[in-house]
Amino acid sequence: MVKTTEELALMRESGRLLASVFEMLDGQQLAGMSTLAVNDLVERFITMDLGARPASKGQYGFAYVLNCSINHVVCHGVPDADEIIRDGDIINLDITLEKNGFIADSSKTYLVGNPPPAARRLVRVAQEAMWKGIRQVRPGARLGDIGAAIERHAKKNGYSVVREFCGHGIGREMHEDPQVLNFGRPGTGTVLREGMTFTIEPMINQGSRKVSTEDDGWTVVTNDRKLSAQFEHTVAVTSDGVEVLTLRVDERPLAAAHA
């Protein structure tokens, strides 16, 4: 669970590269693209431009480099040549990258074109909830502090938190200990130690927290078909707080605001 200084340096590089994937996507016109076209674009960028490996491809039998979850899809959406991203959609792109033996994991929910105000508000609150969780990370804090902060912010804004999926330790493997729940009680759970690395990835629903997995065995949707939004970062516990290893340039003001 605890990484050495050398291992953290390698994870920092993987995180930096993964952040650049999202910065590339920020400049794309997603409306009109198929989700498979986005997948292929990201695969080329990771392999050819960055000289890295898309860690999700082949993981647990998954054939693609990312998950693309549109509107009421909570997570694990499968790229499809026939699924076209449209103006007004919200879409979460969840991407992993491995470089020098270490994996980074991050996701962002994109506003495509001009979504309605209710969708924009959900996306904003989901991102805020992630940062509320990140703000709890420091040596001596507990995992329950993270989940409690996320859940409190979501519920305060009238939303629910998906409980079936959570953050996780990460390093040489995609999923390591500990599990990082998006709900909980302050002062409970594993004590955080300097050098621990894990993801924080709340999934926030507009309506009920109840979800189901579709027949493809991957795609998770809200039961009430209301919108869902997710954000995710890979973080490291530092001597005096937290370092966001997958931080993007556009998020530096957010990180400063939550320091």
Side-chain angles (χ1 to χ4, degrees), residues 19-35:
S20 75
V21 177
F22 287 95
E23 289 162 2
M24 178 275 292
L25 286 168
D26 289 345
Q28 301 298 315
Q29 177 60 256
L30 295 178
M33 294 182 69
S34 73
T35 52

Side-chain angles (χ1 to χ4, degrees), residues 12-26 45 50 95 97 104-106 108 110 233 244-252:
R12 192 173 290 115
E13 175 64 5
S14 295
R16 183 188 69 80
L17 293 176
L18 182 53
S20 75
V21 177
F22 287 95
E23 289 162 2
M24 178 275 292
L25 286 168
D26 289 345
F45 188 77
L50 303 180
I95 306 169
L97 179 151
D105 188 359
S106 186
K108 175 180 178 178
Y110 284 86
H233 273 310
V244 181
L245 301 177
T246 48
L247 187 70
R248 304 184 304 275
V249 170
D250 69 297
E251 285 189 304
R252 287 175 185 168

Side-chain angles (χ1 to χ4, degrees), residues 23 31 81 128 165 188:
E23 289 162 2
E128 291 171 350
F165 303 94
T188 64

Side-chain angles (χ1 to χ4, degrees), residues 54-252:
S56 295
K57 189 172 184 179
Q59 180 90 358
Y60 310 123
F62 191 70
Y64 304 94
V65 306
L66 56 77
N67 294 122
C68 44
S69 304
I70 299 178
N71 295 333
H72 68 279
V73 178
V74 177
C75 60
H76 301 165
V78 179
D80 187 335
D82 294 326
E83 183 176 49
I84 305 301
I85 304 167
R86 304 188 185 283
D87 188 288
D89 286 342
I90 62 172
I91 179 170
N92 177 266
L93 298 176
D94 190 344
I95 306 169
T96 62
L97 179 151
E98 180 265 321
K99 181 75 172 181
N100 298 319
F102 285 89
I103 298 171
D105 188 359
S106 186
S107 84
K108 175 180 178 178
T109 298
Y110 284 86
L111 299 163
V112 182
N114 190 32
R120 291 177 175 274
R121 180 176 183 271
L122 172 68
V123 171
R124 174 178 58 78
V125 171
Q127 187 175 33
E128 291 171 350
M130 177 191 66
W131 282 104
K132 294 288 186 182
I134 290 173
R135 183 67 182 85
Q136 301 303 309
V137 178
R138 61 189 179 279
R142 292 179 177 267
L143 285 178
D145 301 336
I146 298 172
I150 289 169
E151 184 177 36
R152 182 167 57 248
H153 189 70
K155 287 188 171 180
K156 182 180 75 174
N157 285 278
Y159 299 128
S160 61
V161 178
V162 174
R163 294 193 168 208
E164 287 80 357
F165 303 94
C166 63
H168 50 86
I170 189 169
R172 291 189 182 275
E173 301 294 332
M174 176 90 72
H175 296 107
E176 301 179 350
D177 289 332
Q179 289 193 328
V180 184
L181 303 181
N182 296 310
F183 60 94
R185 290 188 295 114
T188 64
T190 300
V191 177
L192 303 185
R193 298 165 54 196
E194 182 181 356
M196 291 176 65
T197 55
F198 48 84
T199 70
I200 296 176
E201 47 180 302
M203 302 171 194
I204 308 299
N205 288 356
Q206 200 174 40
S208 167
R209 71 173 180 85
K210 299 297 185 181
V211 300
S212 301
T213 302
E214 295 195 331
D215 291 342
D216 63 8
W218 289 104
T219 306
V220 178
V221 299
T222 57
N223 284 0
D224 57 15
R225 295 303 190 265
K226 292 186 177 180
L227 298 177
S228 184
Q230 178 191 8
F231 285 85
E232 174 186 13
H233 273 310
T234 297
V235 305
V237 184
T238 65
S239 61
D240 60 354
V242 61
E243 179 181 357
V244 181
L245 301 177
T246 48
L247 187 70
R248 304 184 304 275
V249 170
D250 69 297
E251 285 189 304
R252 287 175 185 168

